[in-house]
Structure formats: structure tokens, C-alpha cells
Amino acid sequence: MVTVSVLKADVGSYPGHVKVHESLLGEVDSVLAESDFLTDYRVAHCGDDVDLVMTHDLGPDAEEVHGLAWDAFTSAADVAGDLGLYGAGQDLLSDAFSGNVKGLGPGSAEMEFEERPAEPVTVFLCDKTEPAAFNLPLYRMFADPFNTSGLVLDPSLHDGFVFEVQDVKEGDVAEIEAPEELYDLLALIGVTSKYHVKSIRKPDGSPAAAVSTDKLNLVAGEYVGKDDPVAVVRNQSGFPAVGEATEAFSFPHLVSGWMRGSHHGPLMPVSQEQSTPSRFDGPPRVVGLGFQLKDGKLVGSHDLFDDPAFDYTRERAMEAAEYMRRHGPFQPNLVGAEDLEYTTLPAVLERLEKRFEGEKLRN
Ligand code: F6R
Ligand code: MG
Ligand code: MG
């Protein structure tokens, strides 16, 4: 069995929240290089987030792997501090590691499976958004035949997939089968402020996809930045083809998390090089990296959205971004009241509370 673990954190960036500094990438690389239990790894980045793609045989949530990532992020945070980067160490919410990064700030998406003779895996890394940003593309990838033609054409996909859906606030999880319970699935995951897709598997139990689903602001109890999620997806021969996985991002749907975690904007698929959100701290980005696995070793990555075929999507994204921005501080550029609870707005509203005192209007 091989485990693919993608762990990520924002431990400082420049200028402001735009870009990870090269020296942070070098620092995490040198920490991971020392490990004697990783089969392989790659260091990636999206916007102000450092993403570690690691393979090993220790299974998901392994203390060694999470501890190693924690050490890498901590060392990088020190480098960020020395360089005077913005938000140095911001996602490291604790002084001490306690067995797992969950609840401590960094995000993790992990999957353990029997490696097939040829095993393509894609990894999607986001910045300036939140885990539910994956709801729509994962639905399209694994349940929508207008996106994934294999659901209709290939007998090995025809039985569909099981979605594990998590209630963001309560943490409870429900398993919903597609296509049998398609409307129930959509009834849940369309409500992105409340539910997100946590993982997907085939009906025989084989893991198909995993998403990092920690809500950083809920963990910390106050606004400390966003969750900037990552996802891992298996591809081909019974799973969506690589092109069906990327096709799911060809529509730049609106997600929450742009500027101060308080705005909706289109999710724009970009190359790793272009994952530098500089317009109004956005718009939100997604990077796609493709690999083959061989005995747990990573072949690649290939930068999937570094392709003129996505220029059209990027143009549409900027049209949507422009349209949304013209609303300024009004909804729906501004996110809904429920999501604003976890931003800096409540502190402003608190000051205004006494202005609402006085006689209630009777009718
Ligand atoms: C951070 C982000 C940014 C910040 C904004 C304000 O990932 O999305 O939009 O929220 O730049 O940052 P502060 O409050 O640090 O000045
Ligand atoms: Mg940042
Ligand atoms: Mg970020």
C-alpha cells in the first residue's frame, strides 16, 4: 500500500499575502530531504501557501509524517521571520506539535491505496478560498456525465462513486451514493457554507479523492486567514481521466475567500508560476499538478493548467471577477452573513451595536 499525503500551510509570504518566498521552499525541501521514511516528495506552492506532496507507507494521519511536515513548516516560519515576510508562522496555531497537524493550522489531504501497475494521481492546490471550493468541481468530476464522459462510456466507472460529505461546523459525516442519490448529494454540497466534500471512493471501497477540510477560522475561533484547501485525485482506468479531472475546472465558478476571506470571486485555474494573486488579493486560484507513481516514487510533476486550453477559462474568470468587483463592499461580492461571522466584520459591527438601541418598531 502507498500513502499520498499532501500537507500545506501559509507560514509567511511577500509582498503581503501574494507569494511564497524561494527560501521557504528551499528550507522545507532541506527538512524533508533528511527524512528516512518518506518514499518520495515534492515541494510545491500556490499563492502564499507551501504545499508538501509526500509518499510513504505509514498510512494517513501518521505521526511521523505530520511531525516532519510540522518541523518543515516551523523551520520555514523561522526563515520567514528572519526575512521579515508577512504573516510569518501564521498557520502554526500552536507552539507544540501533538501527533497530528489537524487542529493546529496546516491542512492535510491523504489517501492510502494499492498502487496499480500504472498509477496517475493529480493534486489540486488552492489559494484565497476554502475547502467547499472543491464541491462543484468534484461533483462534476465524479458524478456529472456532461463533464466525465467515462461515467457513461466506461463500464469501470458506470457504477458511480460514494461521496463522504462533512458538516463544516458539527464535523459529522454522511455517505451519499452517486448517481443513486444525486439530488440528495446536490441538496447538501450546493450549500457550500455548511457542507463540503471530504473524500470520494468507489463502491468497492477503493479511495478516489481526498480534500483537506479543516476550517482554520473555526479551529482558531477567530479570523486567522483561510483554509486554502488541497485535494488529491486518482485518475484513469476506473477513475476520471486526467483530462476529465482538469475539465472540472474549466468553468471558473464563484467561491468564497477572496480579499480578507470576505468576498466571492471566480476560481481561476493557473500554472504554479501564475499562482500569485495580486488583484484585490486574488482572484482565488487553483493549481493542478499531475504525477505517475512507481513503487511510491513520484514521476513528475506536470503543471496541468499551464496550457493555452485554459486561457478561455481564465478570460471568463476575469470577466466574472470584474463584474463581481463592481459591487464593491456589497453582497454578492461580499460573502453571506454566515461566512462573514468568521471575518473581521463582527468587530466593526460590535461598535455599531449601540446605534440600534431604542424603541422597537411595533406593528
Ligand atoms: C490572506 C488574504 C488577504 C488578507 C488581506 C488583509 O490570505 O486573503 O486578502 O486577508 O490582505 O490582510 P491583513 O489583515 O493581514 O492586513
Ligand atoms: Mg498569507
Ligand atoms: Mg493562502
Side-chain angles (χ1 to χ4, degrees), residues 10 13 17 48 90:
D10 174 353
S13 48
H17 293 281
D48 58 9
Q90 76 159 49

Side-chain angles (χ1 to χ4, degrees), residues 42 44 121-125 242 246 270-272 287-292 298-308 310:
R42 293 286 184 279
V121 170
T122 45
V123 169
F124 295 96
L125 317 169
V242 170
T246 56
V270 291
S271 67
Q272 197 167 213
V287 164
L289 300 179
F291 302 91
Q292 287 289 140
L298 293 160
V299 179
S301 64
H302 176 65
D303 198 343
L304 291 160
F305 297 131
D306 187 9
D307 180 345
F310 280 93

Side-chain angles (χ1 to χ4, degrees), residues 229-252:
V230 292
V232 195
V233 175
R234 292 175 78 192
N235 303 104
Q236 310 288 156
S237 310
F239 297 97
V242 170
E244 288 165 338
T246 56
E247 175 69 4
F249 294 93
S250 62
F251 168 61

Side-chain angles (χ1 to χ4, degrees), residues 13-330:
S13 48
Y14 83 103
H17 293 281
V18 175
K19 192 181 178 192
V20 171
H21 195 278
E22 283 291 318
S23 37
L24 270 55
L25 301 174
E27 184 63 25
V28 295
D29 194 286
S30 62
V31 174
L32 297 193
E34 291 299 307
S35 136
D36 54 6
F37 53 81
L38 288 186
T39 312
D40 207 354
Y41 71 89
R42 293 286 184 279
V43 175
H45 57 99
C46 180
D48 58 9
D49 294 287
V50 178
D51 301 279
L52 313 177
V53 181
M54 299 175 283
T55 57
H56 53 91
D57 57 11
L58 299 171
D61 292 321
E63 183 166 348
E64 294 93 321
V65 177
H66 282 233
L68 179 69
W70 182 261
D71 290 345
F73 291 140
T74 315
S75 304
D78 290 343
V79 173
D82 293 344
L83 285 171
L85 298 188
Y86 197 71
Q90 76 159 49
D91 281 1
L92 307 178
L93 303 179
S94 164
D95 290 336
F97 175 71
S98 52
N100 195 297
V101 297
K102 283 200 185 112
L104 300 184
S108 67
E110 305 185 271
M111 220 164 27
E112 183 183 37
F113 50 86
E114 204 67 63
E115 187 184 296
R116 296 169 291 165
E119 183 71 57
V121 170
T122 45
V123 169
F124 295 96
L125 317 169
C126 293
D127 189 34
K128 310 299 184 242
T129 186
E130 39 112 27
F134 281 119
N135 286 10
L136 186 149
L138 286 176
Y139 167 77
R140 295 194 66 207
M141 233 182 266
F142 287 95
D144 180 2
F146 280 74
N147 180 90
T148 298
S149 61
L151 294 167
V152 175
L153 303 178
D154 182 346
S156 69
L157 278 133
H158 209 79
D159 291 340
F161 290 89
V162 182
F163 285 65
E164 196 188 12
V165 178
Q166 185 170 35
D167 181 319
V168 179
K169 285 173 194 154
E170 308 302 328
D172 300 337
V173 163
E175 295 211 331
I176 315 283
E177 292 175 23
E180 295 83 349
E181 303 175 291
L182 215 50
Y183 299 159
D184 290 335
L185 178 65
L186 287 169
L188 295 172
I189 67 173
V191 185
T192 47
S193 55
K194 190 162 163 54
Y195 299 101
H196 47 212
V197 176
K198 189 175 166 60
S199 71
I200 300 171
R201 59 175 169 81
K202 285 174 81 73
D204 71 5
S206 320
V211 182
S212 62
T213 50
D214 262 5
K215 280 287 258 186
L216 197 52
N217 44 25
L218 296 183
V219 168
E222 61 177 277
Y223 186 63
V224 287
K226 291 164 311 303
D227 306 280
D228 299 339
V230 292
V232 195
V233 175
R234 292 175 78 192
N235 303 104
Q236 310 288 156
S237 310
F239 297 97
V242 170
E244 288 165 338
T246 56
E247 175 69 4
F249 294 93
S250 62
F251 168 61
H253 67 299
L254 294 174
V255 298
S256 84
W258 195 1
M259 182 52 88
R260 298 175 187 278
S262 309
H263 295 80
H264 286 127
L267 186 67
M268 185 161 75
V270 291
S271 67
Q272 197 167 213
E273 203 45 45
Q274 290 184 335
S275 66
T276 46
S278 57
R279 179 175 175 183
F280 197 58
D281 288 358
R285 311 281 156 127
V286 57
V287 164
L289 300 179
F291 302 91
Q292 287 289 140
L293 288 184
K294 178 65 181 166
D295 300 328
K297 290 264 182 205
L298 293 160
V299 179
S301 64
H302 176 65
D303 198 343
L304 291 160
F305 297 131
D306 187 9
D307 180 345
F310 280 93
D311 286 349
Y312 182 79
T313 305
R314 289 188 274 265
E315 266 173 46
R316 295 291 90 78
M318 287 319 299
E319 280 167 15
E322 183 61 25
Y323 180 82
M324 292 303 277
R325 277 307 301 131
R326 296 285 68 83
H327 293 80
F330 288 81

